Amino acid sequence: MAKYYDVHPDNPQPRTIGQIADSIRADALVAYPTDSCYALGCRLGSRDGIERIRTIRKLDDRHHFTLVCQDFAQLGQFVRVDNDVFRAIKASTPGSYTFILPATKEVPRMLQHPKKKTVGVRIPDHVVTQALLAELGEPLLSSTLLLPGEEEPMTQGWEIKDLLDHVLDGVVDSGDCGTEPTTVIDFSGGEAEIVRHGAGDTSRFE
């Protein structure tokens, strides 16, 4: 049964954020809000969390998981970024973008694309997510909370709790966070390739 965390959207309660972070460190799988829509998140090295996300979303091994990072310094530990790409990403973060880049050795192999050795990274512009990332001190391994057969991601915490109570350990609710997933830009080939048009403006990458 999932624990329900009611978090203030502008002034997240430190004690509650600490409880959520502790549960994630203990291998919990949580649903949490971002600046584009809800996501499923677990700790970086959680094999159980990865398998549970794959099961809930019915994903194959070619799916790009995303490392949700607090800031650019943290992001740079997990992906290789050349100067041109650095400038483009820096100008777009924090924001509703996911960037696919070559993974460094800091990224567990089970998170990397099996052939390309890439991983998704993003820096969200969301007060609650940022508070949680600061408390954790490491990225959240994440995937958009888009259920099989659905057109749009889930957006309401209480609805997620009702529907996924039996498969999650926690639901973080800080109000509505929109329905549009991130814009996905693949930089793994050196040039920007728009993989998915979403909440982030694509004009600078076209």
Side-chain angles (χ1 to χ4, degrees), residues 17 24 27 53 55 82 84-85 110 120 184 205:
I17 293 295
I24 290 168
D27 236 13
I53 292 172
T55 300
D82 67 25
D84 289 343
V85 173
M110 60 185 173
V184 179
F205 302 106

Side-chain angles (χ1 to χ4, degrees), residues 14 16 26 31 39 55 65 76 89 114 133 138 165 171 178 180 187 197 206:
T16 306
T55 300
F65 282 98
I89 296 177
L133 291 167
E138 66 177 26
D165 198 33
V171 176
E180 199 168 16
F187 274 116
H197 290 266
E206 292 170 338

